[in-house]
Amino acid sequence: RNLGVLEPSESWTFAAGTSIAGSRTVIAIVNPDVVDTEVDVRVSAVELPLTLSLPSDGVVWVQVGGCADPPAPDCIPVAPDVTYSVTVDAGVGTPVVAEELVWFTETNVGVGAATVLGTSAPADEFIVPRLGSAADRAATFSFVNAGATGAVTVDVDVIGAGTVTQPEALQDVDFAANEPPEEL
């Protein structure tokens, strides 16, 4: 389960996805508005966006990767083992809500499901809570600089037990605009 959203938005970004054999990824897009709209779904690994009609109070599901040949109209073909980001853009004045759903069946990452809400606004600071000691836990952060015109630089600070550390490998990391997601 996820926490939900505070409000719909005209744009949603999902920083990291990977087309994994044995998994299925869909982006569910909901139009809570009283007017119909169109949405563009852009996958960084694919040249052209997919444009879909989205009726008032309607939901569309867009599959990313794992498409048949030829792909269904609501499936964006992405080759296996490709890392990508997804951006959903709605018509001006018709905000939507977008959520990623992933099912894993007998893959190298296990069996299960995950849901992720996209980010509706870029930010220059995020706080990511995590429990456990450094000895038994690991974390991966995915970054994408979608829709920007230039590179951005990221610094990651680790806060714990009342101290702040700035690991050298996580300082001054540059991310080019409109490139596939990168992980730290």
Side-chain angles (χ1 to χ4, degrees):
R1 297 186 181 226
N2 56 46
L3 298 175
V5 298
L6 298 176
E7 62 186 359
S9 176
E10 292 174 5
S11 183
W12 293 91
T13 299
F14 300 87
T18 303
S19 56
I20 300 171
S23 70
R24 182 169 183 243
T25 299
V26 297
I27 305 294
I29 308 164
V30 178
N31 178 5
D33 209 331
V34 295
V35 297
D36 297 349
T37 191
E38 284 191 341
V39 291
D40 288 332
V41 182
R42 290 180 174 79
V43 175
S44 63
V46 177
E47 188 174 332
L48 298 175
L50 175 64
T51 301
L52 296 169
S53 295
L54 183 53
S56 170
D57 284 331
V59 178
V60 294
W61 293 62
V62 177
Q63 185 171 333
V64 181
C67 303
D69 188 17
D74 59 353
C75 192
I76 300 173
V78 176
D81 299 319
V82 171
T83 301
Y84 58 84
S85 62
V86 176
T87 303
V88 175
D89 290 314
V92 175
T94 53
V96 298
V97 176
E99 179 176 22
E100 179 183 60
L101 302 110
V102 184
W103 293 270
F104 300 97
T105 56
E106 299 181 30
T107 68
N108 60 348
V109 295
V111 175
T115 61
V116 177
L117 281 168
T119 301
S120 61
D124 58 7
E125 185 173 296
F126 288 93
I127 298 172
V128 181
R130 211 175 121 255
L131 300 174
S133 68
D136 67 350
R137 302 277 178 146
T140 301
F141 298 97
S142 296
F143 294 89
V144 66
N145 185 4
T149 57
V152 296
T153 301
V154 172
D155 294 321
V156 177
D157 297 344
V158 179
I159 303 169
T163 63
V164 177
T165 58
Q166 297 174 318
E168 188 175 330
L170 301 179
Q171 304 302 304
D172 297 320
V173 181
D174 291 326
F175 295 96
N178 301 308
E179 293 292 324
E182 295 186 44
E183 294 182 349
L184 295 179

